[in-house]
Amino acid sequence: SAVISQKPSRDICQRGTSLTIQCQVDSQVTMMFWYRQQPGQSLTLIATANQGSEATYESGFVIDKFPISRPNLTFSTLTVSNMSPEDSSIYLCSVAGDGTDTQYFGPGTRLTVL
Amino acid sequence: EDKVVQSPLSLVVHEGDTVTLNCSYEVTNFRSLLWYKQEKKAPTFLFMLTSSGIEKKSGRLSSILDKKELFSILNITATQTGDSAVYLCAGSTSGTYKYIFGTGTRLKVLA
């Protein structure tokens, strides 16, 4: 499976600010995804990061709040904009290869918004 | 609405015990059922199940899927303290790569 890294590992931010999370994969992958896991909750898909085009967002998530970039097949960023304490979560990127249904997750970013 | 339900929500056992974790699902255009182990932040892949009745096994862990009853179980035998984690199951949807996750079972294994 691919080796996935995320930066930062954790951060504490003030409300109203924005944070960009990076996801780097050691090989080219077709599918990249961003998830959120709020405290005590399970994983919820935010969006699919599409290379060369706009991300596909799930119901309840919008581009203005969670802009995503995918400049190539090994890298993506998720920005959490105008943060509020409700955005305190673990943010995870995941990848899946062509023809496979298995997603592998990055190490996650733990975000706390004060 | 698609959903995945796991039970129990939490479980405390002693080392050496055998545990069975349950996952039921209602997923439109169901493709596969996946199990993950989450110890800190990152879920680690355990199994992917697509066919009914075929057990997948890895060491002390095994899992099976029943597509008629929309159900899967994860068994862990001879538990160790290192098995302490949250175990997540997810249903995937054909054609979208979308996963629907359950809320997880928190397992604590006492020495």
Side-chain angles (χ1 to χ4, degrees), chain B residues 40-56:
Chain B
K40 290 187 178 178
K41 292 183 294 185
T44 303
F45 172 75
L46 295 175
F47 298 112
M48 182 178 75
L49 303 154
T50 55
S51 301
S52 276
I54 298 175
E55 184 184 55
K56 291 226 174 169

Side-chain angles (χ1 to χ4, degrees), chain A residues 40-88:
Chain A
Q41 304 295 315
S42 193
L43 279 72
T44 302
L45 180 64
I46 298 171
T48 302
N50 301 309
Q51 196 266 328
S53 64
E54 201 168 276
T56 304
Y57 289 85
E58 296 299 308
S59 175
F61 297 96
V62 294
I63 188 171
D64 289 347
K65 176 67 176 177
F66 297 102
I68 288 170
S69 78
R70 177 97 190 264
N72 56 53
L73 292 176
T74 65
F75 185 78
S76 178
T77 66
L78 168 75
T79 299
V80 186
S81 304
N82 188 24
M83 289 183 286
S84 67
E86 292 71 35
D87 294 319
S88 297

Side-chain angles (χ1 to χ4, degrees), chain A residues 9 31 33 35 37 42-43 58 92 99-103 105-108, chain B residues 31-32 34 36 38 41-43 45 48 88 92 97-99 101-103:
Chain A
S9 173
M31 309 296 293
F33 308 91
Y35 286 82
Q37 187 176 31
S42 193
L43 279 72
E58 296 299 308
L92 294 148
T100 175
D101 201 22
T102 305
Q103 291 183 27
F105 287 85
Chain B
R31 178 169 166 163
S32 60
L34 299 101
Y36 288 85
Q38 186 177 30
K41 292 183 294 185
F45 172 75
M48 182 178 75
L88 299 166
S92 75
Y97 292 94
K98 181 176 178 178
Y99 283 12
F101 276 90
T103 52

Side-chain angles (χ1 to χ4, degrees), chain A residues 25-37:
Chain A
V25 191
D26 70 342
S27 58
Q28 294 186 343
V29 291
T30 305
M31 309 296 293
M32 290 183 80
F33 308 91
W34 287 99
Y35 286 82
R36 178 176 76 180
Q37 187 176 31

